[in-house]
Amino acid sequence: MDTVANNIANVNTVGFKTQNTVFETTLTQVLRSGRGPDATEGGTNPAQVGLGVKLAAITTDFGQGKTQNTGRALDFMIQGDGFFVTENQGQQLYTRAGSFTFDGAGKLITSDGNRVQGWMADEAGKIDTGGTLEDLQVQYGAALPPRATTSVTMSRNVMIDAAAVNGADTNVRVAKATVYNAAGVEQRLNLTWTQKTVNNTNGNSTWTLKIANEDGTTTPTPVTADVAFTAGGVPTFSNLSAGTTAGNKMTIPGWGNAAGVTFDFGQVTAQAAGTAISAVDQDGFTAGSLSSFALAEDGTITGVYTNNERRAIGKLALATFDNPSGLINMGNTSYAIGDNSGVALIGAAGTGSLGTLTSGALEMSNVDLSEEFTGLIIAQRGFQANSKVITASDELLQDLVNLKR
């Protein structure tokens, strides 16, 4: 009755797992022993009288609970066998209840104040899931320092003018690119392509490329180079006024970081038609601050900054056990390692049987009310039947006493 009542009471408790009572027979009195068959007589079975029942175990059903969508960014649900790892006063605890919030220091905590554990990212946004677990911390407004541009990727097409007169400089194409210096200052560049020659038979063409500030200033110093396209394919460079070339790449000083910026033209072509050349990627950015975050299915917490950068902040750790039924219930839907649970197997979501994570949803109790009420009725009827046995036994003893009279 206590177990059933507890299940019903927690039907709306986030992450609660149903408990079931298991009974077993107690001692048995042998009234007559059995014997095996022989040449003249068949065998007989023993005559045994049971002496009641006792509690064998109270088991926990760790089956998946139903999903409740909340839309709240700090509500996480595990789809699988894993447990969230938390810490309270140096003790590691495990829970399926993923309704989290922040404390005053920006640390992720459970509703009862336990600190959620995981791995924090380093300054470059890399996470070592083999490292030591630590408190997960997300601080709104946290600064992201600027990063100087080291590479720019160009793509698409420098359009040839097949009617241009060789050497006439009548076909000029301008592409735009943005880079950042070490202080995070934005620098807008013009990449001016001037067609020098074209061979309409084989598609070969030569150009002059000039890279300079968009505003026309000469600081940093503009860079020029001769460019050749073979059969409209990717370019090769020569006569670079400053910097170095390697294949389809050009590294020029004066912009971005101290080593210069490497322009990758491996995706650029020179043909009569196509989408105009443009910068499709660069790795620098200005300073920013954390404005929001999102959670991926593998538990990675990704911060979104005011400079439109996205960077990993940390990753939630999950744990699983060889025998989760051996965990010790510590209350508040938290469990601790027990003698028969096995050690905690720590890992990231999406690996092994740990399961995946869903943000904006909670795992509700896996209590089935219909089964609990059925069990309640069975327990009640069983108690009534047992009380009748006691009454009948009392009447038999009374009759035995009356025989003497």
Side-chain angles (χ1 to χ4, degrees), residues 84-152:
F84 295 108
V85 183
T86 66
E87 183 178 299
N88 182 18
Q89 297 181 355
Q91 182 182 19
Q92 211 165 71
L93 299 174
Y94 310 91
T95 182
R96 295 278 296 190
S99 182
F100 302 140
T101 185
F102 290 118
D103 65 8
K107 293 183 178 180
L108 201 60
I109 60 172
T110 63
S111 56
D112 54 340
N114 295 345
R115 297 187 300 275
V116 181
Q117 301 294 287
W119 305 277
M120 293 296 292
D122 60 17
E123 293 182 356
K126 295 181 179 179
I127 300 173
D128 179 14
T129 56
T132 304
L133 293 181
E134 56 185 315
D135 300 341
L136 287 177
Q137 190 171 24
V138 179
Q139 293 181 307
Y140 283 105
L144 179 66
R147 182 168 69 190
T149 301
T150 62
S151 66
V152 178

Side-chain angles (χ1 to χ4, degrees), residues 25 114 148 156 199 245 293 305 361 393:
T25 58
N114 295 345
R156 304 186 178 99
N199 187 322
T245 62
F293 68 92
Y305 294 84
S393 176

Side-chain angles (χ1 to χ4, degrees), residues 9-10 15 18 21 23 47 73 99 108 117 128 142 161 218 225 256 259 286 314-315 317 326 329 351 364 385 393:
N10 285 281
T18 303
T21 306
F23 296 99
S99 182
L108 201 60
Q117 301 294 287
D128 179 14
D161 183 359
T218 58
T286 187
K315 177 175 286 191
N329 195 331
T351 60
M364 298 305 295
S393 176

Side-chain angles (χ1 to χ4, degrees), residues 9-51:
N10 285 281
V11 67
N12 289 319
T13 301
V14 175
F16 178 80
K17 298 302 176 184
T18 303
Q19 292 183 310
N20 299 300
T21 306
V22 180
F23 296 99
E24 65 181 6
T25 58
T26 187
L27 296 174
T28 300
Q29 180 181 3
V30 179
L31 302 179
R32 183 185 66 209
S33 299
R35 65 179 178 82
D38 55 27
T40 59
E41 294 183 342
T44 59
N45 296 324
Q48 305 172 90
V49 176
L51 298 179

Side-chain angles (χ1 to χ4, degrees), residues 8 48 64 66 83 101 110 122 186-187 326 343:
I8 294 175
Q48 305 172 90
Q64 186 76 36
K66 294 182 178 179
F83 292 80
T101 185
T110 63
D122 60 17
E186 180 184 89
Q187 297 172 313
V343 298

Side-chain angles (χ1 to χ4, degrees), residues 125-405:
K126 295 181 179 179
I127 300 173
D128 179 14
T129 56
T132 304
L133 293 181
E134 56 185 315
D135 300 341
L136 287 177
Q137 190 171 24
V138 179
Q139 293 181 307
Y140 283 105
L144 179 66
R147 182 168 69 190
T149 301
T150 62
S151 66
V152 178
T153 301
M154 307 297 296
S155 184
R156 304 186 178 99
N157 187 57
V158 182
M159 285 179 282
I160 293 175
D161 183 359
V165 178
N166 288 339
D169 296 348
T170 57
N171 182 26
V172 179
R173 306 290 179 176
V174 179
K176 303 288 186 179
T178 299
V179 298
Y180 297 89
N181 64 17
V185 177
E186 180 184 89
Q187 297 172 313
R188 298 178 180 272
L189 308 179
N190 281 348
L191 284 75
T192 305
W193 301 75
T194 303
Q195 181 179 320
K196 307 302 279 184
T197 65
V198 61
N199 187 322
N200 293 325
T201 301
N202 55 28
N204 295 345
S205 62
T206 60
W207 302 71
T208 297
L209 171 61
K210 180 180 180 181
I211 303 177
N213 275 330
E214 182 184 61
D215 58 9
T217 59
T218 58
T219 303
T221 304
V223 175
T224 60
D226 293 332
V227 189
F229 291 89
T230 301
V234 293
T236 57
F237 302 93
S238 62
N239 299 325
L240 187 64
S241 64
T244 59
T245 62
N248 309 121
K249 295 181 179 180
M250 176 193 303
T251 301
I252 61 174
W255 285 288
N257 68 345
V261 176
T262 298
F263 286 82
D264 185 350
F265 296 96
Q267 303 176 31
V268 175
T269 59
Q271 299 174 2
T275 305
I277 182 174
S278 63
V280 294
D281 187 35
Q282 65 88 29
D283 62 354
F285 49 80
T286 187
S289 59
L290 183 65
S291 59
S292 64
F293 68 92
L295 178 79
E297 288 190 351
D298 65 350
T300 301
I301 302 173
T302 302
V304 181
Y305 294 84
T306 54
N307 58 0
N308 296 323
E309 286 297 310
R310 299 174 64 88
R311 178 174 291 191
I313 299 174
K315 177 175 286 191
L316 287 168
L318 297 184
T320 188
F321 300 87
D322 291 332
N323 176 31
S325 296
L327 294 171
I328 301 173
N329 195 331
M330 304 296 290
N332 298 325
T333 64
S334 292
Y335 299 88
I337 293 177
D339 294 334
N340 196 38
S341 64
V343 298
L345 305 175
I346 307 294
T351 60
S353 61
L354 290 170
T356 59
L357 294 175
T358 302
S359 178
L362 291 173
E363 179 190 11
M364 298 305 295
S365 164
N366 63 353
V367 173
D368 187 327
L369 276 180
S370 60
E371 289 186 3
E372 296 304 322
F373 278 112
T374 300
L376 191 66
I377 293 172
I378 293 173
Q380 181 183 11
R381 295 305 182 194
F383 181 80
Q384 288 177 344
N386 277 277
S387 65
K388 291 295 183 183
V389 171
I390 295 173
T391 302
S393 176
D394 177 65
E395 291 176 354
L396 287 173
L397 291 174
Q398 184 65 41
D399 289 342
L400 181 62
V401 171
N402 289 338
L403 287 176
K404 181 179 179 182
R405 298 177 182 175

